Amino acid sequence: MKRQLETAIDESTITLENDVYRLNILTYGATLQEFSIQDDGWKNIVLSYDTVEAYMQDTYYLGATIGRVAGRIDQSTFDLDGVTYHVPANEGVHHLHGGEGLHRRVWTVEQRTSDRVTLHYVSPDGENGYPGALDVRATFELVDHGVTITYEATSDQDTVCDLTNHTYFNLSGGERDILNHELTLSADTFAELRDDLIPTGRLLEVDQTAFDFRSGRVLADGLESTHPQNELVNGYDHPFVFAGRREARLYERASQRELTISTTAPAIVLYSGNQMNETTSLREGTSRRYYGVCLEPQHLPDAVHHETFPSIRLKAGNTYRWQTTYRVETGVSR
């Protein structure tokens, strides 16, 4: 595959491009601004803003690197080795997506090649209430079979860490909403949520529910479902535990585009854009409910309060690593 040199739009935006994919990455928030594919011209399959300033005002976490801990933390507190830590409450009494976290920081460019960029940020000890200085790297890379994002982090103290990327996909390029997107997901269980969207600690079976994506299901099924968990969020905003292969496939019949996501994370959060509204202008058009879908590989949210969930503890000197590869095929007929 022929490689082309990346170009910088300005000091805050880096473009990586080859014959198949084009990425725009912002140093603000280590954000994926554009994910375009070659399909009779360039087609951007993620929701985006035109300017860095718009991302600075964003409340949707559009394309951002999320951390230090993705998802919600109940009551904005957690215990570690007998010490109680208080993190900012930014969703009622709860802590969401690291507070004013990694998505609100300007990262530095550590390394660039024709098909890869690594961004770097050091979150100081105590930032947003978290213990330890966390040294984080985000690498975006064009590979022969797709696009890979890798997060790596180390801390000088024992801490907690769970990162994800919060890109909103729309395989139509913004021409339609995502309700007729079909998702296939290898998951036998999903995390039950309380009314305030904090996990109860119970994992529910997907069998015979609108949460069963094992053989493929359109996202509209979540709106039509009478399952209490679907009605709670008007769709999906739930973590699924991978069973076997850690992979998800998203397909839109009208555009004949299919996205495959492969990850090292043990779970994935499906968010169907239920809280998006029509007050925000996007590059693709006016924002609205169900205009984009997030597939966020991570650990289970609120893991700090559930011993049965995989731990997100990061020991001093150890390396946290998260890697996800995105592959898009065009002209897929079913």
Side-chain angles (χ1 to χ4, degrees):
M1 184 180 294
K2 182 181 177 181
R3 304 294 188 191
Q4 299 179 10
L5 292 178
E6 80 277 20
T7 59
I9 295 175
D10 54 38
E11 291 299 318
S12 62
T13 308
I14 297 162
T15 300
L16 304 178
E17 182 178 321
N18 60 24
D19 295 336
V20 181
Y21 298 101
R22 182 170 68 205
L23 306 180
N24 276 355
I25 301 110
L26 306 181
T27 55
Y28 181 78
T31 297
L32 183 59
Q33 180 191 30
E34 179 182 341
F35 186 144
S36 289
I37 59 169
Q38 188 61 249
D39 187 10
D40 192 24
W42 288 112
K43 301 293 190 304
N44 185 21
I45 60 168
V46 304
L47 300 185
S48 58
Y49 298 110
D50 283 318
T51 66
V52 174
E53 289 74 21
Y55 283 91
M56 295 174 72
Q57 302 300 318
D58 171 58
T59 59
Y60 295 148
Y61 303 92
L62 225 65
T65 294
I66 301 298
R68 296 186 185 191
V69 173
R72 296 171 176 86
I73 294 179
D74 191 14
Q75 299 295 312
S76 303
T77 64
F78 63 90
D79 293 337
L80 192 65
D81 295 331
V83 178
T84 299
Y85 293 92
H86 298 269
V87 290
N90 61 330
E91 190 183 62
V93 297
H94 307 307
H95 179 77
L96 176 65
H97 288 334
E100 291 293 302
L102 301 180
H103 69 291
R104 294 296 193 201
R105 305 298 178 227
V106 177
W107 299 52
T108 60
V109 178
E110 183 175 78
Q111 185 180 42
R112 292 174 61 181
T113 67
S114 61
D115 54 11
R116 171 180 173 141
V117 61
T118 297
L119 305 181
H120 180 229
Y121 177 71
V122 178
S123 176
D125 179 27
E127 184 171 56
N128 282 296
Y130 290 98
L134 191 73
D135 194 314
V136 192
R137 287 171 176 80
T139 298
F140 299 81
E141 183 175 12
L142 301 176
V143 294
D144 288 339
H145 54 288
V147 172
T148 295
I149 303 176
T150 304
Y151 296 133
E152 292 184 322
T154 59
S155 176
D156 60 357
Q157 300 179 39
D158 283 13
T159 190
V160 290
C161 180
D162 186 33
L163 311 183
T164 194
N165 181 271
H166 206 279
T167 291
Y168 289 72
F169 291 97
N170 183 318
L171 297 183
S172 77
E175 295 181 12
R176 296 169 289 278
D177 63 33
I178 50 82
L179 292 178
N180 285 322
H181 283 42
E182 180 180 316
L183 177 65
T184 305
L185 180 63
S186 177
D188 298 331
T189 58
F190 69 98
E192 180 185 51
L193 302 180
R194 304 183 328 209
D195 289 349
D196 57 4
L197 307 187
I198 300 292
T200 65
R202 294 179 61 205
L203 297 180
L204 303 182
E205 299 290 332
V206 303
D207 194 41
Q208 298 185 38
T209 74
F211 291 88
D212 189 352
F213 291 96
R214 292 173 294 187
S215 298
R217 178 182 297 275
V218 293
L219 298 176
D221 287 353
L223 275 69
E224 300 168 0
S225 167
T226 59
H227 192 294
Q229 288 289 297
N230 288 125
E231 292 183 334
L232 173 65
V233 300
N234 296 310
Y236 300 100
D237 194 359
H238 292 79
F240 291 76
V241 179
F242 284 115
R245 194 166 187 174
R246 297 181 178 186
E247 183 177 280
R249 294 200 312 274
L250 189 68
Y251 175 70
E252 198 214 19
R253 190 177 304 276
S255 64
Q256 295 190 324
R257 296 171 187 148
E258 183 172 67
L259 168 71
T260 301
I261 299 175
S262 305
T263 186
T264 59
I268 192 166
V269 172
L270 165 62
Y271 172 54
S272 52
N274 323 317
Q275 298 180 46
M276 302 185 77
N277 56 53
E278 297 182 357
T279 64
T280 305
S281 295
L282 303 174
R283 178 184 290 183
E284 294 69 35
T286 301
S287 168
R288 58 186 183 273
R289 184 178 284 190
Y290 312 121
Y291 197 38
V293 57
C294 295
L295 294 161
E296 309 160 50
Q298 59 181 82
H299 284 69
L300 291 170
D302 201 37
V304 292
H305 292 125
H306 301 284
E307 292 183 358
T308 58
F309 289 0
S311 174
I312 61 170
R313 181 184 183 122
L314 176 61
K315 293 184 177 180
N318 286 359
T319 299
Y320 166 93
R321 193 170 192 271
W322 175 105
Q323 187 172 73
T324 300
T325 297
Y326 306 84
R327 185 177 70 254
V328 182
E329 294 182 70
T330 59
V332 178
S333 180
R334 290 186 182 173

